[in-house]
Amino acid sequence: MTDSKYFTTTKKGEIFELKAELNSDKKEKKKEAVKKVIASMTVGKDVSALFPDVVNCMQTDNLELKKLVYLYLMNYAKSQPDMAIMAVNTFVKDCEDPNPLIRALAVRTMGCIRVDKITEYLCEPLRKCLKDEDPYVRKTAAVCVAKLHDINAQLVEDQGFLDTLKDLISDSNPMVVANAVAALSEIAESHPSSNLLDLNPQSINKLLTALNECTEWGQIFILDCLANYTPKDDREAQSICERVTPRLSHANSAVVLSAVKVLMKFMEMLSKDLDYYGTLLKKLAPPLVTLLSAEPELQYVALRNINLIVQKRPEILKHEMKVFFVKYNDPIYVKLEKLDIMIRLASQANIAQVLAELKEYATEVDVDFVRKAVRAIGRCAIKVEQSAERCVSTLLDLIQTKVNYVVQEAIVVIKDIFRKYPNKYESVIATLCENLDSLDEPEARAAMIWIVGEYAERIDNADELLESFLEGFHDESTQVQLQLLTAIVKLFLKKPTETQELVQQVLSLATQDSDNPDLRDRGYIYWRLLSTDPVAAKEVVLAEKPLISEETDLIEPTLLDELICYIGTLASVYHKPPSAFVEGGRGIVHKSLPPRTASSESTESPETAPAGAPPGEQPDVIPAQGDLLGDLLNLDLGPPVSGPPLATSSVQMGAVDLLGSGLDSLIGAPNFVAPPAAAVPANLGATVGSGLSDLFDLTSGVGTLSGSYVAPKAVWLPAMKAKGLEISGTFTRQVGSISMDLQLTNKALQVMTDFAIQFNRNSFGLAPAAPLQVHAPLSPNQTVESSLPLNTVGSVMKMEPLNNLQVAVKNNIDVFYFSTLYPLHILFVEDGKMDRQTFLATWKDIPNENEAQFQIRDCPLNAEAVSSRLQSSNIFTVAKRNVEGQDMLYQSLKLTNGIWVLAELRIQPGNPSLTLSLKCRAPEVSQHVYQAYETILKN
């Protein structure tokens, strides 16, 4: 008999009857009554009036009845906290019941009752259950600690439950270990600075031993925990990979993805020359392929994760193209995702197969899918040069079908093929012009207009074609209007006598009759260019265009590295970091791949390669065609390059004021105007002029002449990205002056002259204080050093990360862009020493939530050495004391923008790990100050 009968009653006076039944002497009647109460509660009726009567039923040996009462209690304890206290005694009693199921049930329910008044009564029973002899009770108690921590974190810490939880990681039962790891991970996520999961080789070994024996969800908790560990060298990374690999054959797809995440992360530390690296690549392919035989929803999640993996390491699946071929009964979302991965895996070896498939897809009935397939053919042409000819003829065949949306997509991709292979396939323009009337989508119209404008000299009736578009100018979308304006100006510059009337008409439509600011501004720029200097106009508008890159939709490398750390989570499906979609962002820590160890990459020094991205491995990321700034100022060509201690982080291109910030002069005008040289900082003059007294006053720290730590030069702009110009550099601070020390190498075959430099707006207003001095022309294979003085009076815009600097360098060949991360200690000023009283008052005044704690490992210096080394980089020791054998240094520093940072540094003699606590009114600075500490102390 089913339980549905409990939901069918409609009697009046029901509460009263239930009350009587709950107080009945007969056990069966009591149980029936509790079931009816639970049924009413489930459908949303308020049965809270029966609270005392239901609680009385707790005193029973019947497990089923006890479960029902506990269910009721969890639901109503919050609304009746005073009544809920009545149940505390029973919990305490049940926690000592001989039946482990009842003990576990009691501790589980205790964790679910989120009432402050009750929590303190539950500490004693919870403590006993954490040390219970039955593993089932211990594993339940471990999860209860995490729940209790969420209600009252301070209580859990005071009662020492966190230490007990850490001890459970060494438990003999694998399920207990898994739950302890899950609970600690949960707590650590909400308190990122707590360093709860202090993983070391010993604890990792215990986790790996438990991994083989616990349930599938336990395995996921342990694998996710392993993914947050950074092995000390490639040997340890390999050993962990070997023990995690068997999880790849697990039946649960979540376990497989968690294992893939661990392996992808640790492969970063393995040398590609190792035999094991090749074996691991081969082992990763079959489990990923197997995931594609699951139901469509799981396939989609797997495909989104495979998309990331293929961008990071295409070699894993390069021989598995066939599994991504679309099946007739795949849902559209799976088809589109498979199509995307097919293009990423397309290469010279398999392009014939891929094109045959894509041509087939282009005749399907699903419009979205057909569009994507046609676009994919164009992407293949751009990616694999040898196939371009076949792709173009395939596209022409598709245009002949005269299916409207196929024709429009084909025209959009042919425009890109023209950009990639100029002067090669222009013979097809005539065919394209025949289809002009059928175009009704903005993107296709804009592409066709671009083609007509770009190749106007080859099209006899170009002016008539463009004039036909001009008739409905105001009804067109902005994209088409902008393209039409540019195309007619191009046409005018190529055939000035025949098209003067047309250009005046379009300029007047764009500037006088339009209310779109983008269109108006572009119209005015063209108007002024044409009226003042037609030669310059020709150089600007008909300039040679850069070739477009093969992949326009690659994820930016540093973001990709972060997403690889989130494989198997929602972030890997959205292709966004958690901070982009988790509200509140509490406890979100940006993850990044571990840096390559010195022994794993003998050919590559850590200074020259950004973390996790060896040179030549990542293709450039090019902004989309629609991005108006993209072609002009492509500032995020790669991840920022930094010295060894700084981890790279996602670079987002700030909105750049192209006309206002002086970059226009860098791009177009022959004489580059540098920003005005700044005056010498006021405190510097005093320092240098105050004579010997300051030099010998080592305690004040003002005016130390030794200068702060200087990182080795790193390659910021490789020659392959800058037409033969290679730029390496580093930042220095000497006696109050900041400079960028550059090394320019000419690896091209022509002489380079007319160097100039400009910075984009940045977090601290760094800007050149004088023009870039390169006195003689730079001959081929010649290297020149130049020191560029900097000041901090430039425009300020908060960057991500905070110390990201975007730089444009111009010479007689072109303008080149790169990003780099500057170490924050170049901004520590010489008058950054606080007196003791001010320090104490400021420390108390800054709220505690602004305090961040960090560990500096492997630093075997004593307090004196630490203090003097930091002082040379303008981190001043305000006071020092010894507490229980530990040296405590209290330090202050000040940034160029006036932000003070206070620090407490704990040094235990004989222990190479230092604990650094930082307090600052701008807490986002703390992470970078910590990195500066680590850089200075370890070099």
Side-chain angles (χ1 to χ4, degrees), residues 629 633 635 652-658 760-761 797 799 806:
L629 298 182
L633 194 64
L635 275 180
Q652 291 171 344
M653 178 170 159
V656 183
D657 171 13
L658 288 179
N760 195 3
R761 288 181 288 177
M797 175 174 76
M799 300 297 286
Q806 296 175 337

Side-chain angles (χ1 to χ4, degrees), residues 228-448:
N228 292 329
Y229 174 64
T230 305
K232 61 178 188 295
D233 56 23
D234 52 344
R235 251 188 238 96
E236 190 186 356
Q238 182 175 337
S239 138
I240 294 173
C241 288
E242 282 166 355
R243 293 176 70 178
V244 168
T245 310
R247 299 300 109 213
L248 292 172
S249 51
H250 201 285
N252 184 328
S253 48
V255 176
V256 174
L257 282 177
S258 290
V260 168
K261 167 167 65 184
V262 174
L263 297 173
M264 284 293 290
K265 202 169 170 185
F266 290 176
M267 276 171 85
E268 204 61 34
M269 299 183 70
L270 300 178
S271 163
K272 291 188 176 181
D273 308 334
L274 279 178
D275 293 343
Y276 180 69
Y277 182 85
T279 316
L280 199 51
L281 286 180
K282 288 195 189 102
K283 283 184 180 170
L284 274 168
L288 293 171
V289 170
T290 309
L291 290 176
L292 297 182
S293 52
E295 52 266 37
E297 293 79 7
L298 281 181
Q299 274 190 57
Y300 178 71
V301 172
L303 286 164
R304 292 293 280 174
N305 280 280
I306 288 170
N307 201 326
L308 294 174
I309 292 164
V310 164
Q311 287 186 54
K312 184 71 188 162
R313 300 197 183 279
E315 63 271 28
I316 293 175
L317 288 160
K318 66 179 176 190
H319 301 304
E320 303 291 346
M321 176 62 88
K322 280 195 171 159
V323 298
F324 298 107
F325 285 176
V326 170
K327 298 192 180 87
Y328 77 95
N329 58 349
D330 279 340
I332 181 68
Y333 55 87
V334 170
K335 283 181 175 176
L336 295 177
E337 209 52 45
K338 280 185 171 178
L339 204 53
D340 208 29
I341 294 168
M342 278 170 66
I343 308 305
R344 298 207 190 287
L345 290 175
S347 64
Q348 204 174 335
N350 57 26
I351 194 73
Q353 239 183 345
V354 173
L355 274 178
E357 275 290 305
L358 292 175
K359 195 169 180 183
E360 200 64 39
Y361 300 162
T363 58
E364 289 267 343
V365 288
D366 190 316
V367 176
D368 281 342
F369 182 51
V370 172
R371 284 173 177 281
K372 189 101 183 211
V374 175
R375 220 159 253 228
I377 295 172
R379 281 174 63 185
C380 282
I382 288 166
K383 188 172 181 187
V384 185
E385 190 167 347
Q386 295 76 1
S387 73
E389 188 95 34
R390 289 175 63 177
C391 292
V392 172
S393 65
T394 306
L395 288 168
L396 287 175
D397 293 347
L398 291 171
I399 287 174
Q400 297 310 331
T401 63
K402 299 290 181 194
V403 178
N404 186 286
Y405 54 86
V406 175
V407 173
Q408 307 211 53
E409 285 297 331
I411 285 175
V412 171
V413 295
I414 286 175
K415 179 198 84 167
D416 288 344
I417 293 173
F418 286 168
R419 288 273 319 259
K420 177 73 176 172
Y421 308 110
N423 306 320
K424 219 169 178 186
Y425 302 109
E426 279 77 8
S427 53
V428 306
I429 290 174
T431 318
L432 302 183
C433 290
E434 289 165 18
N435 295 282
L436 208 63
D437 300 335
S438 65
L439 307 181
D440 54 16
E441 289 170 16
E443 199 176 358
R445 288 172 77 83
M448 193 64 228

Side-chain angles (χ1 to χ4, degrees), residues 539-540 662-673 754 756 810 815:
E539 279 178 18
V540 171
L663 272 175
D664 50 333
S665 59
L666 211 160
I667 291 160
N671 16 345
F672 170 70
V673 185
D754 304 333
K810 164 193 171 282
V815 183

Side-chain angles (χ1 to χ4, degrees), residues 749-866:
L749 297 172
Q750 65 191 98
V751 173
M752 294 182 181
T753 56
D754 304 333
F755 285 93
I757 193 164
Q758 182 103 21
F759 294 175
N760 195 3
R761 288 181 288 177
N762 53 76
S763 309
F764 292 91
L766 275 178
L772 177 61
Q773 300 291 335
V774 180
H775 296 297
L778 195 57
S779 309
N781 295 321
Q782 188 187 349
T783 297
V784 66
E785 307 262 348
S786 177
S787 185
L788 178 72
L790 307 181
N791 59 37
T792 51
V793 296
S795 302
V796 174
M797 175 174 76
K798 188 175 177 187
M799 300 297 286
E800 185 59 51
L802 209 60
N803 56 338
N804 181 20
L805 182 64
Q806 296 175 337
V807 184
V809 171
K810 164 193 171 282
N811 63 13
N812 58 325
I813 297 170
D814 206 342
V815 183
F816 309 107
Y817 306 98
F818 63 87
S819 294
T820 182
L821 298 177
Y822 48 88
L824 211 66
H825 66 258
I826 63 165
L827 304 174
F828 298 171
V829 298
E830 282 65 22
D831 60 347
K833 185 170 186 178
M834 264 189 189
D835 64 71
R836 291 184 184 206
Q837 295 311 113
T838 316
F839 183 94
L840 205 58
T842 313
W843 185 276
K844 285 179 183 168
D845 195 35
I846 296 174
N848 284 340
E849 54 267 30
N850 283 22
E851 185 171 350
Q853 202 168 61
F854 305 94
Q855 290 289 326
I856 301 172
R857 304 185 193 285
D858 306 323
C859 179
L861 302 173
N862 63 18
E864 303 304 324
V866 166

